[in-house]
PDB file of all heavy atoms in Angstrom:
ATOM      1  N   CYS A  25      -2.007  21.288   4.087  1.00  0.00           N
ATOM      2  CA  CYS A  25      -2.124  22.745   3.948  1.00  0.00           C
ATOM      3  C   CYS A  25      -2.057  23.365   5.333  1.00  0.00           C
ATOM      4  O   CYS A  25      -1.493  22.758   6.262  1.00  0.00           O
ATOM      5  CB  CYS A  25      -3.382  23.135   3.183  1.00  0.00           C
ATOM      6  SG  CYS A  25      -4.940  22.651   3.970  1.00  0.00           S
ATOM      7  N   LEU A  26      -2.601  24.552   5.514  1.00  0.00           N
ATOM      8  CA  LEU A  26      -2.520  25.217   6.826  1.00  0.00           C
ATOM      9  C   LEU A  26      -3.622  24.707   7.758  1.00  0.00           C
ATOM     10  O   LEU A  26      -3.351  24.167   8.829  1.00  0.00           O
ATOM     11  CB  LEU A  26      -2.612  26.732   6.628  1.00  0.00           C
ATOM     12  CG  LEU A  26      -2.604  27.585   7.889  1.00  0.00           C
ATOM     13  CD1 LEU A  26      -1.270  27.460   8.626  1.00  0.00           C
ATOM     14  CD2 LEU A  26      -2.854  29.058   7.539  1.00  0.00           C
ATOM     15  N   GLY A  27      -4.876  24.876   7.331  1.00  0.00           N
ATOM     16  CA  GLY A  27      -5.990  24.554   8.226  1.00  0.00           C
ATOM     17  C   GLY A  27      -6.590  23.170   8.060  1.00  0.00           C
ATOM     18  O   GLY A  27      -7.368  22.725   8.887  1.00  0.00           O
ATOM     19  N   ASN A  28      -6.243  22.502   6.952  1.00  0.00           N
ATOM     20  CA  ASN A  28      -6.847  21.199   6.588  1.00  0.00           C
ATOM     21  C   ASN A  28      -8.372  21.305   6.441  1.00  0.00           C
ATOM     22  O   ASN A  28      -9.099  20.351   6.741  1.00  0.00           O
ATOM     23  CB  ASN A  28      -6.465  20.095   7.592  1.00  0.00           C
ATOM     24  CG  ASN A  28      -6.804  18.670   7.135  1.00  0.00           C
ATOM     25  OD1 ASN A  28      -7.023  17.799   7.958  1.00  0.00           O
ATOM     26  ND2 ASN A  28      -6.851  18.421   5.842  1.00  0.00           N
ATOM     27  N   ILE A  29      -8.825  22.476   5.978  1.00  0.00           N
ATOM     28  CA  ILE A  29     -10.267  22.586   5.695  1.00  0.00           C
ATOM     29  C   ILE A  29     -10.557  23.063   4.268  1.00  0.00           C
ATOM     30  O   ILE A  29     -11.674  22.865   3.790  1.00  0.00           O
ATOM     31  CB  ILE A  29     -11.009  23.508   6.700  1.00  0.00           C
ATOM     32  CG1 ILE A  29     -10.390  24.894   6.732  1.00  0.00           C
ATOM     33  CG2 ILE A  29     -11.067  22.869   8.083  1.00  0.00           C
ATOM     34  CD1 ILE A  29     -11.270  25.928   7.448  1.00  0.00           C
ATOM     35  N   CYS A  30      -9.583  23.689   3.592  1.00  0.00           N
ATOM     36  CA  CYS A  30      -9.849  24.182   2.231  1.00  0.00           C
ATOM     37  C   CYS A  30      -9.111  23.382   1.156  1.00  0.00           C
ATOM     38  O   CYS A  30      -9.730  22.668   0.369  1.00  0.00           O
ATOM     39  CB  CYS A  30      -9.470  25.664   2.108  1.00  0.00           C
ATOM     40  SG  CYS A  30     -10.412  26.760   3.179  1.00  0.00           S
ATOM     41  N   ARG A  31      -7.784  23.516   1.099  1.00  0.00           N
ATOM     42  CA  ARG A  31      -7.025  22.945  -0.014  1.00  0.00           C
ATOM     43  C   ARG A  31      -6.746  21.456   0.124  1.00  0.00           C
ATOM     44  O   ARG A  31      -7.010  20.673  -0.796  1.00  0.00           O
ATOM     45  CB  ARG A  31      -5.694  23.708  -0.181  1.00  0.00           C
ATOM     46  CG  ARG A  31      -5.875  25.142  -0.639  1.00  0.00           C
ATOM     47  CD  ARG A  31      -4.608  25.956  -0.449  1.00  0.00           C
ATOM     48  NE  ARG A  31      -4.333  26.197   0.969  1.00  0.00           N
ATOM     49  CZ  ARG A  31      -3.289  26.849   1.453  1.00  0.00           C
ATOM     50  NH1 ARG A  31      -2.376  27.312   0.615  1.00  0.00           N
ATOM     51  NH2 ARG A  31      -3.147  27.042   2.738  1.00  0.00           N
ATOM     52  N   TYR A  58      -5.943  25.305  14.250  1.00  0.00           N
ATOM     53  CA  TYR A  58      -7.189  26.095  14.379  1.00  0.00           C
ATOM     54  C   TYR A  58      -8.464  25.299  14.187  1.00  0.00           C
ATOM     55  O   TYR A  58      -9.480  25.579  14.810  1.00  0.00           O
ATOM     56  CB  TYR A  58      -7.286  27.215  13.327  1.00  0.00           C
ATOM     57  CG  TYR A  58      -6.066  27.990  12.989  1.00  0.00           C
ATOM     58  CD1 TYR A  58      -5.691  28.164  11.646  1.00  0.00           C
ATOM     59  CD2 TYR A  58      -5.299  28.607  13.983  1.00  0.00           C
ATOM     60  CE1 TYR A  58      -4.575  28.909  11.302  1.00  0.00           C
ATOM     61  CE2 TYR A  58      -4.180  29.347  13.632  1.00  0.00           C
ATOM     62  CZ  TYR A  58      -3.822  29.490  12.311  1.00  0.00           C
ATOM     63  OH  TYR A  58      -2.730  30.213  11.959  1.00  0.00           O
ATOM     64  N   HIS A  59      -8.456  24.361  13.255  1.00  0.00           N
ATOM     65  CA  HIS A  59      -9.722  23.754  12.822  1.00  0.00           C
ATOM     66  C   HIS A  59      -9.824  22.260  13.130  1.00  0.00           C
ATOM     67  O   HIS A  59     -10.643  21.566  12.526  1.00  0.00           O
ATOM     68  CB  HIS A  59      -9.929  23.998  11.322  1.00  0.00           C
ATOM     69  CG  HIS A  59     -10.027  25.445  10.979  1.00  0.00           C
ATOM     70  ND1 HIS A  59     -11.166  26.186  11.205  1.00  0.00           N
ATOM     71  CD2 HIS A  59      -9.116  26.305  10.479  1.00  0.00           C
ATOM     72  CE1 HIS A  59     -10.949  27.445  10.832  1.00  0.00           C
ATOM     73  NE2 HIS A  59      -9.717  27.540  10.396  1.00  0.00           N
ATOM     74  N   ASP A 138      -3.956  30.281  -1.020  1.00  0.00           N
ATOM     75  CA  ASP A 138      -4.884  30.050   0.083  1.00  0.00           C
ATOM     76  C   ASP A 138      -6.208  30.725  -0.259  1.00  0.00           C
ATOM     77  O   ASP A 138      -6.262  31.946  -0.398  1.00  0.00           O
ATOM     78  CB  ASP A 138      -4.269  30.658   1.352  1.00  0.00           C
ATOM     79  CG  ASP A 138      -5.139  30.441   2.569  1.00  0.00           C
ATOM     80  OD1 ASP A 138      -6.307  30.040   2.421  1.00  0.00           O
ATOM     81  OD2 ASP A 138      -4.640  30.689   3.670  1.00  0.00           O
ATOM     82  N   PRO A 139      -7.295  29.969  -0.423  1.00  0.00           N
ATOM     83  CA  PRO A 139      -8.564  30.556  -0.861  1.00  0.00           C
ATOM     84  C   PRO A 139      -9.455  31.015   0.299  1.00  0.00           C
ATOM     85  O   PRO A 139     -10.555  31.531   0.062  1.00  0.00           O
ATOM     86  CB  PRO A 139      -9.236  29.376  -1.582  1.00  0.00           C
ATOM     87  CG  PRO A 139      -8.809  28.180  -0.778  1.00  0.00           C
ATOM     88  CD  PRO A 139      -7.405  28.496  -0.269  1.00  0.00           C
ATOM     89  N   TYR A 140      -8.990  30.854   1.535  1.00  0.00           N
ATOM     90  CA  TYR A 140      -9.855  30.999   2.711  1.00  0.00           C
ATOM     91  C   TYR A 140     -10.547  32.355   2.782  1.00  0.00           C
ATOM     92  O   TYR A 140     -11.728  32.444   3.082  1.00  0.00           O
ATOM     93  CB  TYR A 140      -9.030  30.750   3.973  1.00  0.00           C
ATOM     94  CG  TYR A 140      -9.813  30.693   5.261  1.00  0.00           C
ATOM     95  CD1 TYR A 140     -10.760  29.697   5.487  1.00  0.00           C
ATOM     96  CD2 TYR A 140      -9.586  31.622   6.278  1.00  0.00           C
ATOM     97  CE1 TYR A 140     -11.460  29.628   6.678  1.00  0.00           C
ATOM     98  CE2 TYR A 140     -10.277  31.560   7.475  1.00  0.00           C
ATOM     99  CZ  TYR A 140     -11.219  30.564   7.671  1.00  0.00           C
ATOM    100  OH  TYR A 140     -11.898  30.500   8.856  1.00  0.00           O
ATOM    101  N   TYR A 141      -9.775  33.435   2.513  1.00  0.00           N
ATOM    102  CA  TYR A 141     -10.351  34.774   2.653  1.00  0.00           C
ATOM    103  C   TYR A 141     -10.932  35.327   1.360  1.00  0.00           C
ATOM    104  O   TYR A 141     -11.356  36.473   1.303  1.00  0.00           O
ATOM    105  CB  TYR A 141      -9.297  35.738   3.220  1.00  0.00           C
ATOM    106  CG  TYR A 141      -8.916  35.380   4.636  1.00  0.00           C
ATOM    107  CD1 TYR A 141      -7.701  34.756   4.921  1.00  0.00           C
ATOM    108  CD2 TYR A 141      -9.798  35.639   5.690  1.00  0.00           C
ATOM    109  CE1 TYR A 141      -7.372  34.407   6.226  1.00  0.00           C
ATOM    110  CE2 TYR A 141      -9.469  35.293   6.991  1.00  0.00           C
ATOM    111  CZ  TYR A 141      -8.260  34.679   7.255  1.00  0.00           C
ATOM    112  OH  TYR A 141      -7.943  34.321   8.530  1.00  0.00           O
TER     113      TYR A 141
HETATM  114  P1  4NP B   9      -6.410  25.787   4.126  1.00  0.00           P
HETATM  115  O1  4NP B   9      -7.071  27.214   4.261  1.00  0.00           O
HETATM  116  O2  4NP B   9      -5.010  25.875   4.688  1.00  0.00           O
HETATM  117  O3  4NP B   9      -6.404  25.528   2.656  1.00  0.00           O
HETATM  118  O4  4NP B   9      -7.279  24.809   4.892  1.00  0.00           O
HETATM  119  C1  4NP B   9      -7.126  27.935   5.448  1.00  0.00           C
HETATM  120  C2  4NP B   9      -8.047  27.610   6.402  1.00  0.00           C
HETATM  121  C3  4NP B   9      -8.134  28.351   7.562  1.00  0.00           C
HETATM  122  C4  4NP B   9      -7.285  29.416   7.760  1.00  0.00           C
HETATM  123  C5  4NP B   9      -6.352  29.731   6.803  1.00  0.00           C
HETATM  124  C6  4NP B   9      -6.268  28.982   5.645  1.00  0.00           C
HETATM  125  N1  4NP B   9      -7.387  30.188   8.944  1.00  0.00           N
HETATM  126  O5  4NP B   9      -6.652  31.182   9.059  1.00  0.00           O
HETATM  127  O6  4NP B   9      -8.207  29.863   9.819  1.00  0.00           O
END
Side-chain angles (χ1 to χ4, degrees):
C25 62
L26 178 65
N28 192 207
I29 56 167
C30 298
R31 293 165 290 178
Y58 320 130
H59 298 283
D138 181 348
Y140 187 64
Y141 294 105

